[in-house]
Amino acid sequence: MCIKKLIPFLGLTMLVSVPAVADLYFTEQITASQDNTLIDDPEGARSNGAGPYFFVGMTGGNEGGGIRRGLIHFDMEGVIPEQARIENVALHLYASNDPDIAEKVRLYPALQDWGEDASCGNGGKGAAAKPGDATWLHTFYDTDTWGEAGGDRERPASAREDVDMLGAYTWSSNRMKRDVQSWVEQPETNFGWLLIGDERYPRTVVAFASRESMTCGANGMPTGLPVPVLEVSYSLAD
């Protein structure tokens, strides 16, 4: 592409063409730096920081019918330049089960820093929280707390996606682009996303493969399921 410019030369004005400055485009695929499950526990003493799944929705049957919310964070410092203009964002997750009812899973920017420690449960009940784990009441068990039980979040949702069967799912929206742009420019505000599903009916819970799914599963064996990935396309002025 060329841009025409008027250039004065020896008292005359000449019309010449000069190359336009082109933006450079890049795409990065970033694996999650941490994820966890907020388990609806009145004592705020259960978590699933190192489990092979994180859970979203409402459990039922053996899991007790409680609410589960997911947390996920991607560290972009040193990966996406601060001067980048975010062009597209896509969150890729893998659902490992078929919920009884189709689940609309929504993403909200989390408003506080939170932790992932060594608590490990293979199912939706999770396990006893370890120091530093996020829980229903705590950002870091058992010293720092959420302002709102179940996680502080920015509203409205940045994106939503229907999950109705086992398989791969993608969330992508302009709001997610704005979230990531803000986190790239101000890394200290990057607390990731809080994932909330259908909390009205039991047995709507979805078990998403966590970042530990390749290393930790039932009986300590990896599940082999795809880990969470954030795909970020951005441009830089040449």
Side-chain angles (χ1 to χ4, degrees):
M1 176 181 176
C2 292
I3 298 175
K4 293 184 178 180
K5 297 181 66 175
L6 295 174
I7 306 293
F9 179 71
L10 298 178
L12 302 174
T13 299
M14 302 175 62
L15 183 64
V16 300
S17 296
V18 297
V21 176
D23 288 346
L24 302 176
Y25 288 83
F26 305 87
T27 297
E28 299 285 352
Q29 293 195 343
I30 308 168
T31 56
S33 56
Q34 60 183 25
D35 49 44
N36 209 332
T37 302
L38 301 183
I39 297 171
D40 184 9
D41 168 36
E43 296 181 0
R46 300 195 70 78
S47 189
N48 201 28
Y53 310 102
F54 65 91
F55 297 84
V56 179
M58 179 173 279
T59 60
N62 293 334
E63 307 298 345
I67 294 171
R68 305 292 184 263
R69 294 177 177 177
L71 284 166
I72 194 162
H73 177 271
F74 297 87
D75 187 359
M76 284 168 273
E77 287 192 80
V79 180
I80 309 296
E82 291 184 10
Q83 67 271 29
R85 181 174 69 241
I86 304 303
E87 304 290 348
N88 191 58
V89 172
L91 172 64
H92 303 292
L93 299 178
Y94 191 88
S96 68
N97 69 308
D98 296 321
D100 285 6
I101 302 172
E103 170 104 276
K104 190 176 291 295
V105 177
R106 306 179 301 279
L107 299 183
Y108 297 87
L111 293 178
Q112 284 204 63
D113 196 12
W114 51 274
E116 175 204 82
D117 209 88
S119 58
C120 182
N122 195 52
K125 288 183 178 180
K130 302 293 185 182
D133 264 326
T135 76
W136 191 256
L137 301 181
H138 301 92
T139 53
F140 296 92
Y141 183 79
D142 61 345
T143 54
D144 302 321
T145 58
W146 298 106
E148 176 184 353
D152 302 334
R153 65 189 190 272
E154 181 181 317
R155 296 172 173 87
S158 293
R160 50 180 52 84
E161 180 71 17
D162 288 333
V163 178
D164 57 1
M165 64 179 66
L166 180 149
Y169 291 87
T170 298
W171 287 254
S172 185
S173 72
N174 286 330
R175 282 189 178 275
M176 289 175 65
K177 282 173 52 178
R178 290 197 291 269
D179 293 343
V180 172
Q181 185 74 66
S182 175
W183 295 340
V184 167
E185 295 173 358
Q186 299 175 293
E188 68 278 6
T189 67
N190 178 10
F191 307 127
W193 285 295
L194 176 66
L195 292 83
I196 296 180
D198 191 333
E199 299 177 347
R200 298 171 297 169
Y201 307 108
R203 306 187 67 85
T204 57
V205 73
V206 178
F208 290 108
S210 75
R211 74 186 190 95
E212 291 86 2
S213 69
M214 296 297 291
T215 58
C216 173
N219 302 315
M221 299 297 291
T223 66
L225 298 178
V227 299
V229 170
L230 184 66
E231 186 174 353
V232 181
S233 297
Y234 64 94
S235 60
L236 294 170
D238 189 8

